[in-house]
PDB file of all heavy atoms in Angstrom:
ATOM      1  N   ILE A 283      23.628 -28.528  28.506  1.00 95.00           N
ATOM      2  CA  ILE A 283      22.220 -28.162  28.419  1.00 95.00           C
ATOM      3  C   ILE A 283      21.671 -28.843  27.163  1.00 95.00           C
ATOM      4  O   ILE A 283      22.204 -28.699  26.070  1.00 95.00           O
ATOM      5  CB  ILE A 283      22.022 -26.660  28.318  1.00 95.00           C
ATOM      6  CG1 ILE A 283      22.574 -25.935  29.545  1.00 95.00           C
ATOM      7  CG2 ILE A 283      20.537 -26.280  28.103  1.00 95.00           C
ATOM      8  CD1 ILE A 283      22.630 -24.432  29.438  1.00 95.00           C
ATOM      9  N   VAL A 284      20.576 -29.559  27.320  1.00 96.00           N
ATOM     10  CA  VAL A 284      19.917 -30.242  26.200  1.00 96.00           C
ATOM     11  C   VAL A 284      18.441 -29.930  26.321  1.00 96.00           C
ATOM     12  O   VAL A 284      17.827 -30.195  27.363  1.00 96.00           O
ATOM     13  CB  VAL A 284      20.168 -31.756  26.185  1.00 96.00           C
ATOM     14  CG1 VAL A 284      19.403 -32.397  25.044  1.00 96.00           C
ATOM     15  CG2 VAL A 284      21.659 -32.054  26.129  1.00 96.00           C
ATOM     16  N   LYS A 285      17.859 -29.363  25.258  1.00 96.00           N
ATOM     17  CA  LYS A 285      16.415 -29.078  25.237  1.00 96.00           C
ATOM     18  C   LYS A 285      15.878 -29.409  23.846  1.00 96.00           C
ATOM     19  O   LYS A 285      16.581 -29.319  22.880  1.00 96.00           O
ATOM     20  CB  LYS A 285      16.168 -27.564  25.509  1.00 96.00           C
ATOM     21  CG  LYS A 285      16.515 -27.085  26.875  1.00 96.00           C
ATOM     22  CD  LYS A 285      16.183 -25.627  27.036  1.00 96.00           C
ATOM     23  CE  LYS A 285      16.642 -25.101  28.390  1.00 96.00           C
ATOM     24  NZ  LYS A 285      16.323 -23.651  28.520  1.00 96.00           N
ATOM     25  N   SER A 286      14.587 -29.715  23.810  1.00 97.00           N
ATOM     26  CA  SER A 286      13.921 -29.902  22.558  1.00 97.00           C
ATOM     27  C   SER A 286      12.786 -28.892  22.466  1.00 97.00           C
ATOM     28  O   SER A 286      12.351 -28.350  23.445  1.00 97.00           O
ATOM     29  CB  SER A 286      13.390 -31.367  22.421  1.00 97.00           C
ATOM     30  OG  SER A 286      12.307 -31.537  23.306  1.00 97.00           O
ATOM     31  N   LEU A 287      12.333 -28.670  21.260  1.00 97.00           N
ATOM     32  CA  LEU A 287      11.228 -27.755  21.036  1.00 97.00           C
ATOM     33  C   LEU A 287      10.004 -28.146  21.850  1.00 97.00           C
ATOM     34  O   LEU A 287       9.313 -27.315  22.406  1.00 97.00           O
ATOM     35  CB  LEU A 287      10.886 -27.670  19.543  1.00 97.00           C
ATOM     36  CG  LEU A 287       9.927 -26.610  19.099  1.00 97.00           C
ATOM     37  CD1 LEU A 287      10.398 -25.214  19.492  1.00 97.00           C
ATOM     38  CD2 LEU A 287       9.733 -26.669  17.603  1.00 97.00           C
ATOM     39  N   GLU A 288       9.771 -29.428  21.973  1.00 96.00           N
ATOM     40  CA  GLU A 288       8.623 -29.960  22.726  1.00 96.00           C
ATOM     41  C   GLU A 288       8.734 -29.570  24.239  1.00 96.00           C
ATOM     42  O   GLU A 288       7.751 -29.460  24.911  1.00 96.00           O
ATOM     43  CB  GLU A 288       8.509 -31.474  22.617  1.00 96.00           C
ATOM     44  CG  GLU A 288       8.108 -31.969  21.232  1.00 96.00           C
ATOM     45  CD  GLU A 288       9.264 -31.960  20.249  1.00 96.00           C
ATOM     46  OE1 GLU A 288      10.452 -32.106  20.646  1.00 96.00           O
ATOM     47  OE2 GLU A 288       9.014 -31.858  19.032  1.00 96.00           O
ATOM     48  N   ASP A 289       9.982 -29.381  24.722  1.00 95.00           N
ATOM     49  CA  ASP A 289      10.185 -28.964  26.109  1.00 95.00           C
ATOM     50  C   ASP A 289       9.744 -27.526  26.325  1.00 95.00           C
ATOM     51  O   ASP A 289       9.483 -27.114  27.482  1.00 95.00           O
ATOM     52  CB  ASP A 289      11.697 -29.055  26.467  1.00 95.00           C
ATOM     53  CG  ASP A 289      12.228 -30.469  26.463  1.00 95.00           C
ATOM     54  OD1 ASP A 289      11.470 -31.423  26.665  1.00 95.00           O
ATOM     55  OD2 ASP A 289      13.448 -30.616  26.237  1.00 95.00           O
ATOM     56  N   ILE A 290       9.644 -26.723  25.263  1.00 96.00           N
ATOM     57  CA  ILE A 290       9.422 -25.291  25.392  1.00 96.00           C
ATOM     58  C   ILE A 290       7.994 -24.882  25.034  1.00 96.00           C
ATOM     59  O   ILE A 290       7.406 -24.039  25.692  1.00 96.00           O
ATOM     60  CB  ILE A 290      10.445 -24.551  24.504  1.00 96.00           C
ATOM     61  CG1 ILE A 290      11.841 -24.781  25.049  1.00 96.00           C
ATOM     62  CG2 ILE A 290      10.126 -23.070  24.414  1.00 96.00           C
ATOM     63  CD1 ILE A 290      12.962 -24.357  24.159  1.00 96.00           C
ATOM     64  N   ILE A 291       7.437 -25.475  23.997  1.00 96.00           N
ATOM     65  CA  ILE A 291       6.092 -25.119  23.541  1.00 96.00           C
ATOM     66  C   ILE A 291       5.095 -25.262  24.670  1.00 96.00           C
ATOM     67  O   ILE A 291       5.040 -26.290  25.336  1.00 96.00           O
ATOM     68  CB  ILE A 291       5.687 -25.940  22.282  1.00 96.00           C
ATOM     69  CG1 ILE A 291       6.558 -25.530  21.107  1.00 96.00           C
ATOM     70  CG2 ILE A 291       4.219 -25.734  21.954  1.00 96.00           C
ATOM     71  CD1 ILE A 291       6.355 -26.331  19.845  1.00 96.00           C
ATOM     72  N   GLY A 292       4.311 -24.208  24.873  1.00 96.00           N
ATOM     73  CA  GLY A 292       3.273 -24.219  25.901  1.00 96.00           C
ATOM     74  C   GLY A 292       3.761 -23.877  27.324  1.00 96.00           C
ATOM     75  O   GLY A 292       3.026 -23.932  28.264  1.00 96.00           O
ATOM     76  N   THR A 293       5.054 -23.530  27.427  1.00 95.00           N
ATOM     77  CA  THR A 293       5.589 -23.143  28.746  1.00 95.00           C
ATOM     78  C   THR A 293       5.871 -21.638  28.778  1.00 95.00           C
ATOM     79  O   THR A 293       5.670 -20.960  27.788  1.00 95.00           O
ATOM     80  CB  THR A 293       6.955 -23.861  29.036  1.00 95.00           C
ATOM     81  OG1 THR A 293       7.960 -23.316  28.182  1.00 95.00           O
ATOM     82  CG2 THR A 293       6.815 -25.373  28.799  1.00 95.00           C
ATOM     83  N   GLU A 294       6.336 -21.151  29.901  1.00 93.00           N
ATOM     84  CA  GLU A 294       6.681 -19.729  30.028  1.00 93.00           C
ATOM     85  C   GLU A 294       7.830 -19.332  29.104  1.00 93.00           C
ATOM     86  O   GLU A 294       8.051 -18.124  28.862  1.00 93.00           O
ATOM     87  CB  GLU A 294       7.020 -19.346  31.460  1.00 93.00           C
ATOM     88  CG  GLU A 294       8.241 -20.033  32.000  1.00 93.00           C
ATOM     89  CD  GLU A 294       8.520 -19.722  33.452  1.00 93.00           C
ATOM     90  OE1 GLU A 294       7.652 -19.228  34.151  1.00 93.00           O
ATOM     91  OE2 GLU A 294       9.661 -19.991  33.879  1.00 93.00           O
ATOM     92  N   ASP A 295       8.560 -20.293  28.557  1.00 94.00           N
ATOM     93  CA  ASP A 295       9.633 -19.985  27.609  1.00 94.00           C
ATOM     94  C   ASP A 295       9.142 -19.806  26.173  1.00 94.00           C
ATOM     95  O   ASP A 295       9.960 -19.584  25.277  1.00 94.00           O
ATOM     96  CB  ASP A 295      10.711 -21.048  27.683  1.00 94.00           C
ATOM     97  CG  ASP A 295      11.515 -20.988  28.983  1.00 94.00           C
ATOM     98  OD1 ASP A 295      11.566 -19.914  29.586  1.00 94.00           O
ATOM     99  OD2 ASP A 295      12.040 -22.038  29.403  1.00 94.00           O
ATOM    100  N   GLU A 296       7.841 -19.892  25.961  1.00 94.00           N
ATOM    101  CA  GLU A 296       7.246 -19.583  24.671  1.00 94.00           C
ATOM    102  C   GLU A 296       6.431 -18.310  24.845  1.00 94.00           C
ATOM    103  O   GLU A 296       5.553 -18.251  25.712  1.00 94.00           O
ATOM    104  CB  GLU A 296       6.368 -20.729  24.178  1.00 94.00           C
ATOM    105  CG  GLU A 296       5.708 -20.433  22.825  1.00 94.00           C
ATOM    106  CD  GLU A 296       4.828 -21.575  22.350  1.00 94.00           C
ATOM    107  OE1 GLU A 296       4.032 -22.076  23.171  1.00 94.00           O
ATOM    108  OE2 GLU A 296       4.944 -21.911  21.157  1.00 94.00           O
ATOM    109  N   THR A 297       6.745 -17.294  24.036  1.00 91.00           N
ATOM    110  CA  THR A 297       6.018 -16.051  24.150  1.00 91.00           C
ATOM    111  C   THR A 297       5.620 -15.595  22.733  1.00 91.00           C
ATOM    112  O   THR A 297       6.272 -15.964  21.782  1.00 91.00           O
ATOM    113  CB  THR A 297       6.881 -14.977  24.866  1.00 91.00           C
ATOM    114  OG1 THR A 297       6.086 -13.806  25.071  1.00 91.00           O
ATOM    115  CG2 THR A 297       8.127 -14.624  24.076  1.00 91.00           C
ATOM    116  N   SER A 298       4.551 -14.825  22.665  1.00 91.00           N
ATOM    117  CA  SER A 298       4.049 -14.412  21.352  1.00 91.00           C
ATOM    118  C   SER A 298       3.678 -12.915  21.345  1.00 91.00           C
ATOM    119  O   SER A 298       3.274 -12.382  22.354  1.00 91.00           O
ATOM    120  CB  SER A 298       2.788 -15.219  21.013  1.00 91.00           C
ATOM    121  OG  SER A 298       3.093 -16.558  20.805  1.00 91.00           O
ATOM    122  N   THR A 303       5.956 -15.637  17.197  1.00 95.00           N
ATOM    123  CA  THR A 303       6.025 -16.491  18.383  1.00 95.00           C
ATOM    124  C   THR A 303       7.510 -16.845  18.599  1.00 95.00           C
ATOM    125  O   THR A 303       8.155 -17.231  17.615  1.00 95.00           O
ATOM    126  CB  THR A 303       5.198 -17.782  18.187  1.00 95.00           C
ATOM    127  OG1 THR A 303       3.822 -17.406  18.036  1.00 95.00           O
ATOM    128  CG2 THR A 303       5.302 -18.700  19.413  1.00 95.00           C
ATOM    129  N   SER A 304       7.982 -16.710  19.788  1.00 95.00           N
ATOM    130  CA  SER A 304       9.357 -16.986  20.116  1.00 95.00           C
ATOM    131  C   SER A 304       9.495 -18.073  21.156  1.00 95.00           C
ATOM    132  O   SER A 304       8.878 -17.972  22.231  1.00 95.00           O
ATOM    133  CB  SER A 304      10.023 -15.703  20.607  1.00 95.00           C
ATOM    134  OG  SER A 304      11.411 -15.912  20.936  1.00 95.00           O
ATOM    135  N   ARG A 305      10.220 -19.109  20.816  1.00 96.00           N
ATOM    136  CA  ARG A 305      10.488 -20.207  21.758  1.00 96.00           C
ATOM    137  C   ARG A 305      11.923 -20.022  22.221  1.00 96.00           C
ATOM    138  O   ARG A 305      12.866 -20.155  21.425  1.00 96.00           O
ATOM    139  CB  ARG A 305      10.276 -21.557  21.094  1.00 96.00           C
ATOM    140  CG  ARG A 305       8.820 -21.852  20.801  1.00 96.00           C
ATOM    141  CD  ARG A 305       8.260 -21.206  19.542  1.00 96.00           C
ATOM    142  NE  ARG A 305       8.922 -21.667  18.326  1.00 96.00           N
ATOM    143  CZ  ARG A 305       8.400 -22.551  17.464  1.00 96.00           C
ATOM    144  NH1 ARG A 305       7.226 -23.022  17.669  1.00 96.00           N
ATOM    145  NH2 ARG A 305       9.088 -22.880  16.409  1.00 96.00           N
ATOM    146  N   ARG A 306      12.119 -19.744  23.497  1.00 94.00           N
ATOM    147  CA  ARG A 306      13.402 -19.306  24.034  1.00 94.00           C
ATOM    148  C   ARG A 306      14.164 -20.498  24.608  1.00 94.00           C
ATOM    149  O   ARG A 306      13.864 -20.959  25.683  1.00 94.00           O
ATOM    150  CB  ARG A 306      13.173 -18.173  25.007  1.00 94.00           C
ATOM    151  CG  ARG A 306      12.604 -16.991  24.243  1.00 94.00           C
ATOM    152  CD  ARG A 306      12.154 -15.815  25.025  1.00 94.00           C
ATOM    153  NE  ARG A 306      11.785 -14.748  24.093  1.00 94.00           N
ATOM    154  CZ  ARG A 306      11.345 -13.566  24.505  1.00 94.00           C
ATOM    155  NH1 ARG A 306      11.198 -13.299  25.768  1.00 94.00           N
ATOM    156  NH2 ARG A 306      11.039 -12.663  23.577  1.00 94.00           N
ATOM    157  N   PHE A 307      15.165 -20.938  23.849  1.00 97.00           N
ATOM    158  CA  PHE A 307      15.942 -22.117  24.244  1.00 97.00           C
ATOM    159  C   PHE A 307      17.027 -21.780  25.302  1.00 97.00           C
ATOM    160  O   PHE A 307      17.214 -22.534  26.240  1.00 97.00           O
ATOM    161  CB  PHE A 307      16.691 -22.687  23.017  1.00 97.00           C
ATOM    162  CG  PHE A 307      15.848 -23.666  22.227  1.00 97.00           C
ATOM    163  CD1 PHE A 307      14.931 -23.193  21.307  1.00 97.00           C
ATOM    164  CD2 PHE A 307      15.977 -25.018  22.415  1.00 97.00           C
ATOM    165  CE1 PHE A 307      14.147 -24.101  20.558  1.00 97.00           C
ATOM    166  CE2 PHE A 307      15.201 -25.912  21.711  1.00 97.00           C
ATOM    167  CZ  PHE A 307      14.299 -25.471  20.783  1.00 97.00           C
ATOM    168  N   LEU A 308      17.708 -20.674  25.105  1.00 97.00           N
ATOM    169  CA  LEU A 308      18.754 -20.253  26.051  1.00 97.00           C
ATOM    170  C   LEU A 308      18.445 -18.825  26.489  1.00 97.00           C
ATOM    171  O   LEU A 308      18.097 -17.988  25.672  1.00 97.00           O
ATOM    172  CB  LEU A 308      20.128 -20.283  25.410  1.00 97.00           C
ATOM    173  CG  LEU A 308      20.696 -21.643  25.040  1.00 97.00           C
ATOM    174  CD1 LEU A 308      22.016 -21.482  24.277  1.00 97.00           C
ATOM    175  CD2 LEU A 308      20.902 -22.478  26.289  1.00 97.00           C
ATOM    176  N   LEU A 309      18.590 -18.582  27.796  1.00 94.00           N
ATOM    177  CA  LEU A 309      18.368 -17.276  28.361  1.00 94.00           C
ATOM    178  C   LEU A 309      19.525 -16.870  29.245  1.00 94.00           C
ATOM    179  O   LEU A 309      20.446 -17.671  29.475  1.00 94.00           O
ATOM    180  CB  LEU A 309      17.060 -17.282  29.196  1.00 94.00           C
ATOM    181  CG  LEU A 309      15.790 -17.516  28.371  1.00 94.00           C
ATOM    182  CD1 LEU A 309      14.615 -17.843  29.263  1.00 94.00           C
ATOM    183  CD2 LEU A 309      15.490 -16.307  27.477  1.00 94.00           C
ATOM    184  N   GLN A 311      19.871 -16.701  32.337  1.00 93.00           N
ATOM    185  CA  GLN A 311      20.039 -17.613  33.469  1.00 93.00           C
ATOM    186  C   GLN A 311      20.872 -18.855  33.112  1.00 93.00           C
ATOM    187  O   GLN A 311      21.413 -19.527  34.006  1.00 93.00           O
ATOM    188  CB  GLN A 311      18.694 -18.054  34.033  1.00 93.00           C
ATOM    189  CG  GLN A 311      17.922 -18.943  33.052  1.00 93.00           C
ATOM    190  CD  GLN A 311      16.482 -19.179  33.507  1.00 93.00           C
ATOM    191  OE1 GLN A 311      15.909 -18.398  34.269  1.00 93.00           O
ATOM    192  NE2 GLN A 311      15.907 -20.252  33.029  1.00 93.00           N
ATOM    193  N   ASP A 312      21.010 -19.145  31.838  1.00 96.00           N
ATOM    194  CA  ASP A 312      21.818 -20.308  31.410  1.00 96.00           C
ATOM    195  C   ASP A 312      23.321 -20.012  31.393  1.00 96.00           C
ATOM    196  O   ASP A 312      24.122 -20.919  31.175  1.00 96.00           O
ATOM    197  CB  ASP A 312      21.354 -20.807  30.027  1.00 96.00           C
ATOM    198  CG  ASP A 312      19.917 -21.337  30.111  1.00 96.00           C
ATOM    199  OD1 ASP A 312      19.654 -22.177  30.972  1.00 96.00           O
ATOM    200  OD2 ASP A 312      19.089 -20.877  29.279  1.00 96.00           O
ATOM    201  N   SER A 317      21.682 -15.444  24.243  1.00 96.00           N
ATOM    202  CA  SER A 317      20.422 -16.216  24.290  1.00 96.00           C
ATOM    203  C   SER A 317      20.084 -16.674  22.896  1.00 96.00           C
ATOM    204  O   SER A 317      20.581 -16.119  21.911  1.00 96.00           O
ATOM    205  CB  SER A 317      19.275 -15.374  24.866  1.00 96.00           C
ATOM    206  OG  SER A 317      19.066 -14.204  24.155  1.00 96.00           O
ATOM    207  N   MET A 318      19.289 -17.731  22.771  1.00 98.00           N
ATOM    208  CA  MET A 318      18.934 -18.275  21.477  1.00 98.00           C
ATOM    209  C   MET A 318      17.448 -18.606  21.446  1.00 98.00           C
ATOM    210  O   MET A 318      16.925 -19.280  22.374  1.00 98.00           O
ATOM    211  CB  MET A 318      19.737 -19.559  21.186  1.00 98.00           C
ATOM    212  CG  MET A 318      19.504 -20.066  19.781  1.00 98.00           C
ATOM    213  SD  MET A 318      20.451 -21.568  19.428  1.00 98.00           S
ATOM    214  CE  MET A 318      19.386 -22.787  20.207  1.00 98.00           C
ATOM    215  N   ASN A 319      16.778 -18.152  20.407  1.00 96.00           N
ATOM    216  CA  ASN A 319      15.337 -18.370  20.238  1.00 96.00           C
ATOM    217  C   ASN A 319      15.061 -19.078  18.911  1.00 96.00           C
ATOM    218  O   ASN A 319      15.776 -18.877  17.933  1.00 96.00           O
ATOM    219  CB  ASN A 319      14.601 -17.020  20.193  1.00 96.00           C
ATOM    220  CG  ASN A 319      14.864 -16.125  21.321  1.00 96.00           C
ATOM    221  OD1 ASN A 319      15.245 -16.542  22.396  1.00 96.00           O
ATOM    222  ND2 ASN A 319      14.702 -14.842  21.120  1.00 96.00           N
ATOM    223  N   ASP A 320      14.006 -19.816  18.867  1.00 98.00           N
ATOM    224  CA  ASP A 320      13.407 -20.365  17.641  1.00 98.00           C
ATOM    225  C   ASP A 320      12.163 -19.536  17.426  1.00 98.00           C
ATOM    226  O   ASP A 320      11.215 -19.643  18.229  1.00 98.00           O
ATOM    227  CB  ASP A 320      13.123 -21.843  17.857  1.00 98.00           C
ATOM    228  CG  ASP A 320      12.479 -22.539  16.672  1.00 98.00           C
ATOM    229  OD1 ASP A 320      11.619 -21.918  16.016  1.00 98.00           O
ATOM    230  OD2 ASP A 320      12.822 -23.694  16.416  1.00 98.00           O
ATOM    231  N   THR A 321      12.123 -18.686  16.401  1.00 97.00           N
ATOM    232  CA  THR A 321      11.059 -17.713  16.236  1.00 97.00           C
ATOM    233  C   THR A 321      10.269 -17.939  14.939  1.00 97.00           C
ATOM    234  O   THR A 321      10.893 -18.177  13.880  1.00 97.00           O
ATOM    235  CB  THR A 321      11.659 -16.291  16.265  1.00 97.00           C
ATOM    236  OG1 THR A 321      12.318 -16.076  17.516  1.00 97.00           O
ATOM    237  CG2 THR A 321      10.590 -15.223  16.048  1.00 97.00           C
ATOM    238  N   ILE A 322       8.981 -17.855  15.034  1.00 98.00           N
ATOM    239  CA  ILE A 322       8.086 -17.930  13.904  1.00 98.00           C
ATOM    240  C   ILE A 322       7.580 -16.515  13.599  1.00 98.00           C
ATOM    241  O   ILE A 322       7.085 -15.830  14.510  1.00 98.00           O
ATOM    242  CB  ILE A 322       6.873 -18.873  14.177  1.00 98.00           C
ATOM    243  CG1 ILE A 322       7.333 -20.281  14.546  1.00 98.00           C
ATOM    244  CG2 ILE A 322       5.884 -18.850  13.018  1.00 98.00           C
ATOM    245  CD1 ILE A 322       7.998 -21.034  13.470  1.00 98.00           C
ATOM    246  N   ARG A 383      10.561 -19.278   9.764  1.00 98.00           N
ATOM    247  CA  ARG A 383      11.107 -19.799  11.025  1.00 98.00           C
ATOM    248  C   ARG A 383      12.578 -19.409  11.049  1.00 98.00           C
ATOM    249  O   ARG A 383      13.328 -19.655  10.130  1.00 98.00           O
ATOM    250  CB  ARG A 383      10.963 -21.320  11.086  1.00 98.00           C
ATOM    251  CG  ARG A 383      11.402 -21.908  12.409  1.00 98.00           C
ATOM    252  CD  ARG A 383      11.064 -23.375  12.468  1.00 98.00           C
ATOM    253  NE  ARG A 383      11.558 -23.915  13.682  1.00 98.00           N
ATOM    254  CZ  ARG A 383      11.799 -25.187  13.879  1.00 98.00           C
ATOM    255  NH1 ARG A 383      11.555 -26.077  12.914  1.00 98.00           N
ATOM    256  NH2 ARG A 383      12.273 -25.633  15.020  1.00 98.00           N
ATOM    257  N   MET A 384      12.940 -18.731  12.156  1.00 98.00           N
ATOM    258  CA  MET A 384      14.252 -18.159  12.305  1.00 98.00           C
ATOM    259  C   MET A 384      14.868 -18.608  13.617  1.00 98.00           C
ATOM    260  O   MET A 384      14.204 -18.770  14.637  1.00 98.00           O
ATOM    261  CB  MET A 384      14.149 -16.643  12.331  1.00 98.00           C
ATOM    262  CG  MET A 384      13.097 -16.005  11.423  1.00 98.00           C
ATOM    263  SD  MET A 384      13.590 -16.030   9.700  1.00 98.00           S
ATOM    264  CE  MET A 384      14.360 -14.470   9.556  1.00 98.00           C
ATOM    265  N   VAL A 385      16.205 -18.826  13.586  1.00 98.00           N
ATOM    266  CA  VAL A 385      16.958 -19.027  14.814  1.00 98.00           C
ATOM    267  C   VAL A 385      17.631 -17.679  15.113  1.00 98.00           C
ATOM    268  O   VAL A 385      18.357 -17.170  14.294  1.00 98.00           O
ATOM    269  CB  VAL A 385      17.995 -20.153  14.632  1.00 98.00           C
ATOM    270  CG1 VAL A 385      18.851 -20.265  15.880  1.00 98.00           C
ATOM    271  CG2 VAL A 385      17.309 -21.494  14.345  1.00 98.00           C
ATOM    272  N   CYS A 386      17.359 -17.129  16.292  1.00 97.00           N
ATOM    273  CA  CYS A 386      17.813 -15.807  16.669  1.00 97.00           C
ATOM    274  C   CYS A 386      18.710 -15.879  17.893  1.00 97.00           C
ATOM    275  O   CYS A 386      18.351 -16.503  18.906  1.00 97.00           O
ATOM    276  CB  CYS A 386      16.606 -14.906  16.991  1.00 97.00           C
ATOM    277  SG  CYS A 386      15.353 -14.871  15.722  1.00 97.00           S
ATOM    278  N   GLY A 394      14.061 -13.444  29.195  1.00 75.00           N
ATOM    279  CA  GLY A 394      12.936 -14.289  28.903  1.00 75.00           C
ATOM    280  C   GLY A 394      11.582 -13.632  28.944  1.00 75.00           C
ATOM    281  O   GLY A 394      10.593 -14.127  28.444  1.00 75.00           O
TER     282      GLY A 394
END
Side-chain angles (χ1 to χ4, degrees):
I283 299 170
V284 178
K285 294 182 184 179
S286 69
L287 190 56
E288 292 80 25
D289 296 332
I290 295 169
I291 292 175
T293 72
E294 64 183 15
D295 289 335
E296 180 180 46
T297 187
S298 295
T303 299
S304 180
R305 291 80 64 102
R306 296 173 173 179
F307 275 82
L308 293 174
L309 295 167
Q311 68 190 22
D312 295 308
S317 58
M318 187 181 80
N319 307 336
D320 179 319
T321 300
I322 302 294
R383 186 172 176 203
M384 322 286 268
V385 175
C386 308

